[in-house]
Structure formats: C-alpha cells, structure tokens
Amino acid sequence: MSILSEALKHLVSIDQPLMASAFTSGQRKCLEQFARETRLIELKKQGRGTVYQIINRQSVHNYLRQLHPLDEASLPDNLPTRSRNIGIDRNSKTGQTCHDCWYLLMKAWDADVVWQNANDRMQPSELTARFGVAALQINAGLNSGQGWQCNRPLLLVENQALFDQCDWLPQDFKGCLVYYAGQLSEVLLQWLAEQKRTNEVILFPDYDGVGLSNYVRLVNALHPDSALRFYLLPDWEAKLEKFGNTDCWLKTRVQFENAFAKLTALNALSPDFIKLGSLSQTYGKALEQESIWL
C-alpha cells in the first residue's frame, strides 16, 4: 500500500480532523500534495499546529476504492498471494510477493539417499532414473506438517547448466544435487531454519556479489544442527584470473563487499574465503559456475 493510501485510510477512519503529528513526515508531504491537486482535504492552522480535515468524505472513499478495489477481509483465505495483491492494490508485486510454497528440484543417483518424514518416504534416485528429476513441494511454517529430512548432504547450484549436465560432480558425491534460480527462495530459507533437514548444506553459487549474498542468507537462516559449506571448484584461483568476468564484478561489487563485511561480523570467514575476497579484488573479476568445465 502506498504512503498516501495509508494516510488517507487513517484520515477517513476518524470522524474528526487529525493533527499533523498523527502522520509521518512522508505521509504529511503526500497529503499536502493531494490537498493541492484534488481539494478533497484541507490543511488548517490550529494553535501552533496544523490539522488535516476531509472536505468531501465520499469522494475520498471513491478515490481509495479506485486504488484498492477490494478489502483484505473480502478475499478468500486460499487466494494466491499475488492475486490477493492485485485485488487489494491492483499490483501483484505490492505487499507480500513470495509464494506460499516452493519446489525443491533435485537429482540423486545413490539408492541410499532417502527423504522421509513421519508418514512418507522418498528415494530421489528412483525418480531421477525414471524421470530425470525428483521434486518435493515445501511449505514454510512450523504448522505446515512437513517434517521432511534427508540422510545425505544437499548441494545447491545456482545455474541450470550444472543441474542439467552433472559430469562435474566429484565421484564420491553421494547426496542430492538441488537447483535454485539466482536467488534462494525465502520459503526455502524458512524451511531450512525450522528444523534440521540434513547433516550438511553445500552452496555452489557464482563467485560474485549475488552468490556471496546468498551464502550470508544461508549462514543466518540454516538450522544450527546442519553444517554449511561453500563449494570451491578445483583450481578456482587460476580460473578466476583467466576466465573471471570484469563486468559481473563491477555490477555486484557492492554486494560482494557487504557480504564479506557481514561474514566478518559473524566470524564466518575461512582462509579460503579470505583468499577469494583478496583475489577477486586484486583481479577485479567475478567467476561464474560454468567455468568448472574449462
């Protein structure tokens, strides 16, 4: 909801003028502009202060109805979040924009890899062999009824190429390869925070500001009974120098440096991380995941 909408709703909810102190400075600016443009409200001096008074209450109600066609209370509980936002604000991207669930796309090849909860059991290697991928719908919330846990590590990769072609994986990897697109889902982070889902989560992102920011988010979110590791591809130092991308570094440098500052504050900087930060700044380059095949 916009600043003006919040201020107007506050104003129409009271049957008398409101002092300027009832609004934030941003709301006061919006109300003053609204008064000049529409003449539907007016500002009056009262003592040493200013009051805001509605001139035409029905017209203000009509204006708000144009901005917000439906009320929150009139919408069904099971309506998708973005549909709800359209109904309330005519914009799917206002308010809460994340979806209520997320789909954990994974591959596994070892028959001993098992997902299970109190009622169900899944072997992702069987689904991978038959359909090329296994999937699990996850919902955040302690009352979601989902106690899913995996007995092997989860290796998260950011780019689809590494999920499609898996010959880069170490031969001794016996866990689940998980795909995410660019940014880790908030639903996934909440789900990982609720309880121990696995003994170890391994993040393999691009070595840029976005990748390191996602690692910081995992550090802050992951359940303390699960270990977290940053995946360093073989010979990454030489690859960074030879194949690193200057444009990617410049676009995400601020995020990269902010992530390093947060990891320092969390005492989560390993010697390899320190070396990655130093070399990235020295070369002025970021390294993308696909360089693992070069």
Side-chain angles (χ1 to χ4, degrees), residues 109 161-171 177 292-293:
W109 299 268
L162 279 81
F163 190 71
D164 291 338
Q165 184 173 326
C166 306
D167 56 1
W168 59 272
L169 281 167
Q171 289 190 352
L177 182 67
I292 196 166
W293 283 295

Side-chain angles (χ1 to χ4, degrees), residues 29 87 106 113 128 146 166 170 183-184 193 198 226-227 232 250 252 261 271:
K29 290 179 182 177
M106 67 187 106
V113 179
T128 302
Q146 289 199 331
C166 306
Q183 291 285 356
L184 292 171
T198 178
S226 296
L232 288 166
L250 292 174
T252 67

Side-chain angles (χ1 to χ4, degrees), residues 183-291:
Q183 291 285 356
L184 292 171
S185 160
E186 284 296 331
V187 175
L188 173 64
L189 291 173
Q190 293 173 31
W191 185 77
L192 290 171
E194 287 166 6
Q195 68 177 73
K196 178 183 176 181
R197 303 294 181 181
T198 178
N199 287 329
E200 184 180 37
V201 174
I202 308 162
L203 183 70
F204 183 12
D206 289 332
Y207 298 170
D208 62 3
V210 175
L212 264 70
S213 296
N214 275 310
Y215 185 76
V216 172
R217 295 170 68 208
L218 264 176
V219 169
N220 286 320
L222 193 62
H223 192 277
D225 289 341
S226 296
L228 175 62
R229 180 159 60 92
F230 188 89
Y231 187 90
L232 288 166
L233 57 88
D235 201 23
W236 66 268
E237 300 97 326
K239 286 184 170 66
L240 176 62
E241 181 180 11
K242 187 173 183 179
F243 304 115
N245 186 304
T246 301
D247 288 340
C248 184
W249 165 255
L250 292 174
K251 289 178 182 178
T252 67
R253 178 175 181 175
V254 173
Q255 291 171 278
F256 190 97
E257 293 174 348
N258 287 341
F260 254 78
K262 292 175 182 177
L263 290 171
T264 301
L266 293 168
N267 196 27
L269 279 180
S270 66
D272 284 330
F273 254 125
I274 295 172
K275 190 174 184 181
L276 174 62
S278 175
L279 290 179
S280 296
Q281 290 177 324
T282 298
Y283 301 141
K285 297 176 180 179
L287 188 65
E288 297 174 279
Q289 283 183 316
E290 290 88 347
S291 62

